[in-house]
Amino acid sequence: MKNDLELYDLNAECWWNENAKIYALNHLNQPRFSFFDRYVNQWQGLNVLDVGCGGGFSCEFMARRGAIVSGIDQSQKCIKKAQEHANDNYFAIDYTYGFAENLPYESRSFDAVICVDVLEHVADVNKVIAEIHRVLKFGGVFFSIQLTKILNLNLL
C-alpha cells in the first residue's frame, strides 16, 4: 500500500527551517551514518545516490564528508528547495526529479546508494531494489532504513 506523499510537498518550503517539525529528520543523519560508517570508512570521493532525498538532509550530510552526491525525489517542490539550499551553501549536489522505480542514471554509476524512509512509500519495492542494483557499481553498497528495519546489502 502506497502512502500519501502530499505531506512532503506541503512541507517543502519549510524543510530547512529549524523550527519546523520536518526538520527533526535532519537529526537522524548522525545516528544513521554512525551505522553506515561501519561499512564505508571513507566517503571522500565516493559517487553516492540518495533515493528519495526529500529536501536534501542526507545529501548535504554526505557532501560535507566529501562525497560526490546525487539526489532524486518524486516531489518537485522538495527537489527545488533542496537545490536552493545546496546552492546557498555552495554544495555541488546533482538533484533530479524522478521516481525510484525508474532511476534516470547509467548502470553501475554509484559506489553507494542511500535510501532512508522511502521503501515503505513505493508501489513496487522489488522494482525499486532492482533499479538500485542496476545503478550500483559491482562491490557497491546499498543502505536502507525503513521504520524500525535496517537493511544493508553488499551487492557484488
Side-chain angles (χ1 to χ4, degrees):
M1 182 173 151
K2 192 173 174 182
N3 294 339
D4 180 11
L5 298 176
E6 188 177 323
L7 166 77
Y8 298 100
D9 278 342
L10 294 174
N11 286 284
E13 279 304 311
C14 60
W15 197 273
W16 286 95
N17 178 343
E18 293 181 14
N19 297 315
K21 288 182 182 180
I22 199 139
Y23 190 78
L25 295 173
N26 195 29
H27 298 292
L28 296 175
N29 278 320
Q30 190 59 52
R32 285 176 174 163
F33 280 87
S34 291
F35 172 75
F36 298 163
D37 288 346
R38 295 178 191 174
Y39 302 93
V40 175
N41 58 5
Q42 179 60 261
W43 293 89
Q44 180 78 33
L46 288 183
N47 197 9
V48 182
L49 173 64
D50 184 0
V51 176
C53 65
F57 292 146
S58 293
C59 288
E60 288 197 15
F61 193 87
M62 291 183 288
R64 276 188 219 95
R65 291 169 151 223
I68 301 160
V69 183
S70 297
I72 186 168
D73 200 279
Q74 70 180 40
S75 168
Q76 289 181 336
K77 290 180 181 179
C78 284
I79 288 294
K80 181 178 183 255
K81 192 62 172 178
Q83 191 65 69
E84 287 172 5
H85 196 269
N87 291 344
D88 290 347
N89 290 278
Y90 306 102
F91 289 119
I93 299 171
D94 177 29
Y95 285 111
T96 301
Y97 164 74
F99 294 85
E101 292 88 351
N102 188 21
L103 297 173
Y105 305 102
E106 296 290 323
S107 295
R108 310 289 174 237
S109 301
F110 296 97
D111 299 299
V113 176
I114 307 296
C115 182
V116 295
D117 302 321
V118 173
L119 294 179
E120 68 268 25
H121 297 291
V122 301
D124 188 342
V125 173
N126 291 331
K127 181 139 177 67
V128 173
I129 298 293
E131 276 293 281
I132 289 169
H133 181 261
R134 181 185 64 76
V135 301
L136 265 175
K137 293 178 181 178
F138 291 112
V141 64
F142 168 46
F143 293 107
S144 184
I145 298 177
Q146 310 316 313
L147 303 173
T148 60
K149 294 182 181 180
I150 298 176
L151 175 63
N152 171 32
L153 300 175
N154 284 306
L155 302 173
L156 304 175

